[in-house]
Amino acid sequence: MSQSELSDEELFGEAASEIREDVEESLGAARDALPESSAVWDVEADNTLGVLNGLRSALAVDEVREHLRDAKKWYTIGERADAFEDADDLEAEIEAVEDVLDDLADVSDAVGDLASAIPELRGQLDDLHDEDDEDDEDDEDDEDDEDDE
């Protein structure tokens, strides 16, 4: 049967199916782009900054955000066109991925703040300990001078 023989209803039904498939594909791609839990939990590094940088890399969400945006775009089009008979499952899945994405972004921001703060804190601690070491050396020198007298 050629396309010219299809009714508007058949064409609309076909388009609605394609839109739903697009939403499902984008949601699947968003889920696939989410980091594995082991990538967030199991981080190997030699120091705290290495752990934080590894975690920050594992929490990268740009690809997830892009796929979720596509899913929401097609879902919105389908909803406005009243193309879905039942889209509760799609809406729930979009919300679930969106919630995880928000959490990932929050954690990523916190990790970024820590990754910036840790080197500064280390420097401050080193400076204070260096001052203590210098004070201890000065005290030892003073004691040595007193012993010589």
Side-chain angles (χ1 to χ4, degrees), residues 124-142:
Q124 291 172 333
L125 291 170
D126 284 345
D127 290 347
L128 286 174
H129 287 291
D130 288 345
E131 287 176 18
D132 283 346
D133 290 344
E134 288 174 11
D135 289 345
D136 289 345
E137 286 176 17
D138 288 344
D139 290 344
E140 287 176 14
D141 288 343
D142 289 344

Side-chain angles (χ1 to χ4, degrees), residues 35-148:
E36 294 291 328
S37 61
S38 61
V40 174
W41 192 255
D42 301 327
V43 181
E44 293 183 29
D46 294 331
N47 56 45
T48 303
L49 189 57
V51 169
L52 292 171
N53 285 332
L55 184 56
R56 188 171 21 181
S57 294
L59 296 172
V61 294
D62 291 339
E63 188 177 349
V64 178
R65 187 173 286 121
E66 182 180 312
H67 292 301
L68 182 61
R69 183 179 188 284
D70 286 343
K72 288 173 73 172
K73 175 177 63 177
W74 289 112
Y75 176 80
T76 301
I77 290 170
E79 277 290 285
R80 287 193 181 162
D82 201 23
F84 304 128
E85 288 180 25
D86 181 23
D88 291 343
D89 61 327
L90 295 176
E91 184 177 15
E93 192 166 351
I94 287 171
E95 287 176 7
V97 172
E98 200 166 36
D99 287 345
V100 171
L101 181 63
D102 289 343
D103 290 346
L104 285 169
D106 290 345
V107 170
S108 182
D109 289 345
V111 168
D113 291 345
L114 277 172
S116 297
I118 292 294
E120 184 178 324
L121 177 61
R122 179 182 179 201
Q124 291 172 333
L125 291 170
D126 284 345
D127 290 347
L128 286 174
H129 287 291
D130 288 345
E131 287 176 18
D132 283 346
D133 290 344
E134 288 174 11
D135 289 345
D136 289 345
E137 286 176 17
D138 288 344
D139 290 344
E140 287 176 14
D141 288 343
D142 289 344
E143 287 175 13
D144 288 342
D145 289 343
E146 287 175 8
D147 289 342
D148 289 341

